[in-house]
PDB file of all heavy atoms in Angstrom:
ATOM      1  N   HIS A 295     152.071  87.687-113.750  1.00 96.00           N
ATOM      2  CA  HIS A 295     150.851  88.236-113.790  1.00 96.00           C
ATOM      3  C   HIS A 295     150.997  89.825-113.919  1.00 96.00           C
ATOM      4  O   HIS A 295     150.451  90.629-114.637  1.00 96.00           O
ATOM      5  CB  HIS A 295     149.971  87.908-112.629  1.00 96.00           C
ATOM      6  CG  HIS A 295     148.667  88.606-112.602  1.00 96.00           C
ATOM      7  ND1 HIS A 295     147.664  88.363-113.517  1.00 96.00           N
ATOM      8  CD2 HIS A 295     148.247  89.645-111.798  1.00 96.00           C
ATOM      9  CE1 HIS A 295     146.604  89.232-113.217  1.00 96.00           C
ATOM     10  NE2 HIS A 295     146.969  89.949-112.073  1.00 96.00           N
ATOM     11  N   TYR A 296     152.013  90.243-112.984  1.00 95.00           N
ATOM     12  CA  TYR A 296     152.303  91.705-113.047  1.00 95.00           C
ATOM     13  C   TYR A 296     152.809  92.112-114.317  1.00 95.00           C
ATOM     14  O   TYR A 296     152.492  93.245-114.739  1.00 95.00           O
ATOM     15  CB  TYR A 296     153.375  91.969-111.837  1.00 95.00           C
ATOM     16  CG  TYR A 296     153.890  93.287-111.921  1.00 95.00           C
ATOM     17  CD1 TYR A 296     153.254  94.540-111.630  1.00 95.00           C
ATOM     18  CD2 TYR A 296     155.270  93.432-112.350  1.00 95.00           C
ATOM     19  CE1 TYR A 296     153.965  95.775-111.667  1.00 95.00           C
ATOM     20  CE2 TYR A 296     155.933  94.723-112.482  1.00 95.00           C
ATOM     21  CZ  TYR A 296     155.221  95.851-112.207  1.00 95.00           C
ATOM     22  OH  TYR A 296     155.861  97.098-112.342  1.00 95.00           O
ATOM     23  N   LEU A 297     153.799  91.333-114.814  1.00 96.00           N
ATOM     24  CA  LEU A 297     154.332  91.729-116.203  1.00 96.00           C
ATOM     25  C   LEU A 297     153.335  91.900-117.194  1.00 96.00           C
ATOM     26  O   LEU A 297     153.317  92.841-118.127  1.00 96.00           O
ATOM     27  CB  LEU A 297     155.420  90.802-116.581  1.00 96.00           C
ATOM     28  CG  LEU A 297     156.689  90.885-115.744  1.00 96.00           C
ATOM     29  CD1 LEU A 297     157.619  89.707-116.106  1.00 96.00           C
ATOM     30  CD2 LEU A 297     157.475  92.216-115.711  1.00 96.00           C
ATOM     31  N   ASP A 298     152.320  90.942-117.211  1.00 95.00           N
ATOM     32  CA  ASP A 298     151.222  90.895-118.139  1.00 95.00           C
ATOM     33  C   ASP A 298     150.452  92.203-118.060  1.00 95.00           C
ATOM     34  O   ASP A 298     150.059  92.789-118.993  1.00 95.00           O
ATOM     35  CB  ASP A 298     150.404  89.728-117.961  1.00 95.00           C
ATOM     36  CG  ASP A 298     149.209  89.654-118.970  1.00 95.00           C
ATOM     37  OD1 ASP A 298     149.548  89.559-120.212  1.00 95.00           O
ATOM     38  OD2 ASP A 298     148.078  89.744-118.653  1.00 95.00           O
ATOM     39  N   GLU A 299     150.228  92.773-116.917  1.00 94.00           N
ATOM     40  CA  GLU A 299     149.467  93.907-116.601  1.00 94.00           C
ATOM     41  C   GLU A 299     150.143  95.172-117.218  1.00 94.00           C
ATOM     42  O   GLU A 299     149.550  96.173-117.569  1.00 94.00           O
ATOM     43  CB  GLU A 299     149.181  94.172-115.011  1.00 94.00           C
ATOM     44  CG  GLU A 299     148.207  93.112-114.584  1.00 94.00           C
ATOM     45  CD  GLU A 299     147.883  93.430-113.050  1.00 94.00           C
ATOM     46  OE1 GLU A 299     148.803  93.944-112.373  1.00 94.00           O
ATOM     47  OE2 GLU A 299     146.720  93.126-112.643  1.00 94.00           O
ATOM     48  N   ILE A 300     151.494  95.125-117.208  1.00 94.00           N
ATOM     49  CA  ILE A 300     152.190  96.333-117.720  1.00 94.00           C
ATOM     50  C   ILE A 300     152.707  96.149-119.162  1.00 94.00           C
ATOM     51  O   ILE A 300     153.436  96.862-119.628  1.00 94.00           O
ATOM     52  CB  ILE A 300     153.410  96.667-116.782  1.00 94.00           C
ATOM     53  CG1 ILE A 300     154.503  95.628-116.783  1.00 94.00           C
ATOM     54  CG2 ILE A 300     152.844  97.150-115.442  1.00 94.00           C
ATOM     55  CD1 ILE A 300     155.741  96.037-116.109  1.00 94.00           C
ATOM     56  N   GLY A 301     152.175  95.163-119.805  1.00 93.00           N
ATOM     57  CA  GLY A 301     152.392  94.853-121.212  1.00 93.00           C
ATOM     58  C   GLY A 301     153.633  94.115-121.470  1.00 93.00           C
ATOM     59  O   GLY A 301     154.300  94.407-122.556  1.00 93.00           O
ATOM     60  N   GLU A 302     154.025  93.366-120.576  1.00 95.00           N
ATOM     61  CA  GLU A 302     155.293  92.491-120.846  1.00 95.00           C
ATOM     62  C   GLU A 302     155.033  91.004-120.856  1.00 95.00           C
ATOM     63  O   GLU A 302     154.080  90.525-120.097  1.00 95.00           O
ATOM     64  CB  GLU A 302     156.342  92.904-119.890  1.00 95.00           C
ATOM     65  CG  GLU A 302     156.808  94.238-119.948  1.00 95.00           C
ATOM     66  CD  GLU A 302     158.104  94.682-119.183  1.00 95.00           C
ATOM     67  OE1 GLU A 302     158.884  93.745-118.963  1.00 95.00           O
ATOM     68  OE2 GLU A 302     158.247  95.870-118.880  1.00 95.00           O
ATOM     69  N   SER A 303     155.600  90.176-121.616  1.00 95.00           N
ATOM     70  CA  SER A 303     155.532  88.772-121.512  1.00 95.00           C
ATOM     71  C   SER A 303     156.865  88.221-122.015  1.00 95.00           C
ATOM     72  O   SER A 303     157.912  88.814-122.132  1.00 95.00           O
ATOM     73  CB  SER A 303     154.433  88.302-122.487  1.00 95.00           C
ATOM     74  OG  SER A 303     154.801  88.610-123.852  1.00 95.00           O
ATOM     75  N   ALA A 304     156.969  86.836-122.339  1.00 93.00           N
ATOM     76  CA  ALA A 304     158.065  86.099-122.605  1.00 93.00           C
ATOM     77  C   ALA A 304     158.668  86.664-123.886  1.00 93.00           C
ATOM     78  O   ALA A 304     159.862  86.520-124.256  1.00 93.00           O
ATOM     79  CB  ALA A 304     157.883  84.726-122.714  1.00 93.00           C
ATOM     80  N   ASN A 305     157.858  87.284-124.814  1.00 92.00           N
ATOM     81  CA  ASN A 305     158.345  87.712-126.078  1.00 92.00           C
ATOM     82  C   ASN A 305     157.989  89.084-126.489  1.00 92.00           C
ATOM     83  O   ASN A 305     157.943  89.471-127.678  1.00 92.00           O
ATOM     84  CB  ASN A 305     157.860  86.694-127.224  1.00 92.00           C
ATOM     85  CG  ASN A 305     156.266  86.581-127.132  1.00 92.00           C
ATOM     86  OD1 ASN A 305     155.518  87.337-126.662  1.00 92.00           O
ATOM     87  ND2 ASN A 305     155.919  85.480-127.712  1.00 92.00           N
ATOM     88  N   HIS A 306     157.519  89.883-125.520  1.00 94.00           N
ATOM     89  CA  HIS A 306     157.028  91.235-125.774  1.00 94.00           C
ATOM     90  C   HIS A 306     157.247  92.098-124.661  1.00 94.00           C
ATOM     91  O   HIS A 306     157.151  91.751-123.380  1.00 94.00           O
ATOM     92  CB  HIS A 306     155.639  91.280-126.124  1.00 94.00           C
ATOM     93  CG  HIS A 306     155.039  92.644-126.430  1.00 94.00           C
ATOM     94  ND1 HIS A 306     155.085  93.167-127.516  1.00 94.00           N
ATOM     95  CD2 HIS A 306     154.278  93.431-125.552  1.00 94.00           C
ATOM     96  CE1 HIS A 306     154.542  94.367-127.496  1.00 94.00           C
ATOM     97  NE2 HIS A 306     154.018  94.541-126.315  1.00 94.00           N
ATOM     98  N   THR A 307     157.685  93.391-124.848  1.00 95.00           N
ATOM     99  CA  THR A 307     157.633  94.449-123.748  1.00 95.00           C
ATOM    100  C   THR A 307     156.920  95.656-124.218  1.00 95.00           C
ATOM    101  O   THR A 307     156.613  95.789-125.433  1.00 95.00           O
ATOM    102  CB  THR A 307     158.956  94.926-123.304  1.00 95.00           C
ATOM    103  OG1 THR A 307     159.569  95.832-124.326  1.00 95.00           O
ATOM    104  CG2 THR A 307     160.031  93.703-123.186  1.00 95.00           C
ATOM    105  N   TRP A 308     156.497  96.513-123.193  1.00 96.00           N
ATOM    106  CA  TRP A 308     155.703  97.762-123.623  1.00 96.00           C
ATOM    107  C   TRP A 308     156.569  98.717-124.501  1.00 96.00           C
ATOM    108  O   TRP A 308     155.902  99.506-125.359  1.00 96.00           O
ATOM    109  CB  TRP A 308     155.457  98.411-122.367  1.00 96.00           C
ATOM    110  CG  TRP A 308     156.602  98.811-121.530  1.00 96.00           C
ATOM    111  CD1 TRP A 308     157.081  98.077-120.551  1.00 96.00           C
ATOM    112  CD2 TRP A 308     157.464  99.888-121.753  1.00 96.00           C
ATOM    113  NE1 TRP A 308     158.311  98.624-120.049  1.00 96.00           N
ATOM    114  CE2 TRP A 308     158.530  99.714-120.777  1.00 96.00           C
ATOM    115  CE3 TRP A 308     157.536 101.004-122.576  1.00 96.00           C
ATOM    116  CZ2 TRP A 308     159.573 100.682-120.636  1.00 96.00           C
ATOM    117  CZ3 TRP A 308     158.563 101.905-122.480  1.00 96.00           C
ATOM    118  CH2 TRP A 308     159.592 101.771-121.566  1.00 96.00           C
ATOM    119  N   ALA A 309     157.935  98.429-124.457  1.00 95.00           N
ATOM    120  CA  ALA A 309     158.725  99.363-125.263  1.00 95.00           C
ATOM    121  C   ALA A 309     158.606  99.178-126.853  1.00 95.00           C
ATOM    122  O   ALA A 309     158.732 100.327-127.550  1.00 95.00           O
ATOM    123  CB  ALA A 309     160.198  98.963-124.989  1.00 95.00           C
ATOM    124  N   LYS A 310     157.983  98.115-127.254  1.00 92.00           N
ATOM    125  CA  LYS A 310     157.780  97.935-128.687  1.00 92.00           C
ATOM    126  C   LYS A 310     156.738  98.960-129.147  1.00 92.00           C
ATOM    127  O   LYS A 310     156.880  99.305-130.361  1.00 92.00           O
ATOM    128  CB  LYS A 310     157.190  96.458-128.847  1.00 92.00           C
ATOM    129  CG  LYS A 310     157.460  95.903-130.314  1.00 92.00           C
ATOM    130  CD  LYS A 310     158.875  95.790-130.629  1.00 92.00           C
ATOM    131  CE  LYS A 310     159.030  95.207-131.967  1.00 92.00           C
ATOM    132  NZ  LYS A 310     160.453  94.949-132.334  1.00 92.00           N
ATOM    133  N   ASN A 311     155.832  99.436-128.346  1.00 92.00           N
ATOM    134  CA  ASN A 311     154.780 100.299-128.728  1.00 92.00           C
ATOM    135  C   ASN A 311     155.000 101.760-128.358  1.00 92.00           C
ATOM    136  O   ASN A 311     154.184 102.593-128.501  1.00 92.00           O
ATOM    137  CB  ASN A 311     153.433  99.862-128.178  1.00 92.00           C
ATOM    138  CG  ASN A 311     153.074  98.436-128.643  1.00 92.00           C
ATOM    139  OD1 ASN A 311     153.212  98.114-129.755  1.00 92.00           O
ATOM    140  ND2 ASN A 311     152.420  97.730-127.765  1.00 92.00           N
ATOM    141  N   TRP A 312     156.144 101.961-127.810  1.00 94.00           N
ATOM    142  CA  TRP A 312     156.518 103.346-127.196  1.00 94.00           C
ATOM    143  C   TRP A 312     156.915 104.306-128.459  1.00 94.00           C
ATOM    144  O   TRP A 312     157.668 103.853-129.224  1.00 94.00           O
ATOM    145  CB  TRP A 312     157.668 103.411-126.410  1.00 94.00           C
ATOM    146  CG  TRP A 312     157.801 104.675-125.685  1.00 94.00           C
ATOM    147  CD1 TRP A 312     158.637 105.695-126.131  1.00 94.00           C
ATOM    148  CD2 TRP A 312     157.139 105.188-124.548  1.00 94.00           C
ATOM    149  NE1 TRP A 312     158.432 106.838-125.236  1.00 94.00           N
ATOM    150  CE2 TRP A 312     157.518 106.532-124.333  1.00 94.00           C
ATOM    151  CE3 TRP A 312     156.111 104.603-123.721  1.00 94.00           C
ATOM    152  CZ2 TRP A 312     157.019 107.251-123.193  1.00 94.00           C
ATOM    153  CZ3 TRP A 312     155.592 105.360-122.739  1.00 94.00           C
ATOM    154  CH2 TRP A 312     156.053 106.635-122.516  1.00 94.00           C
ATOM    155  N   PRO A 313     156.194 105.446-128.642  1.00 93.00           N
ATOM    156  CA  PRO A 313     156.432 106.301-129.798  1.00 93.00           C
ATOM    157  C   PRO A 313     157.862 106.870-129.794  1.00 93.00           C
ATOM    158  O   PRO A 313     158.138 107.627-128.810  1.00 93.00           O
ATOM    159  CB  PRO A 313     155.267 107.344-129.692  1.00 93.00           C
ATOM    160  CG  PRO A 313     154.932 107.328-128.275  1.00 93.00           C
ATOM    161  CD  PRO A 313     155.049 105.973-127.681  1.00 93.00           C
TER     162      PRO A 313
END
Side-chain angles (χ1 to χ4, degrees):
H295 177 70
Y296 165 75
L297 293 176
D298 182 64
E299 287 185 331
I300 64 171
E302 298 187 28
S303 66
N305 54 22
H306 178 81
T307 77
W308 57 266
K310 200 71 176 174
N311 300 322
W312 191 264

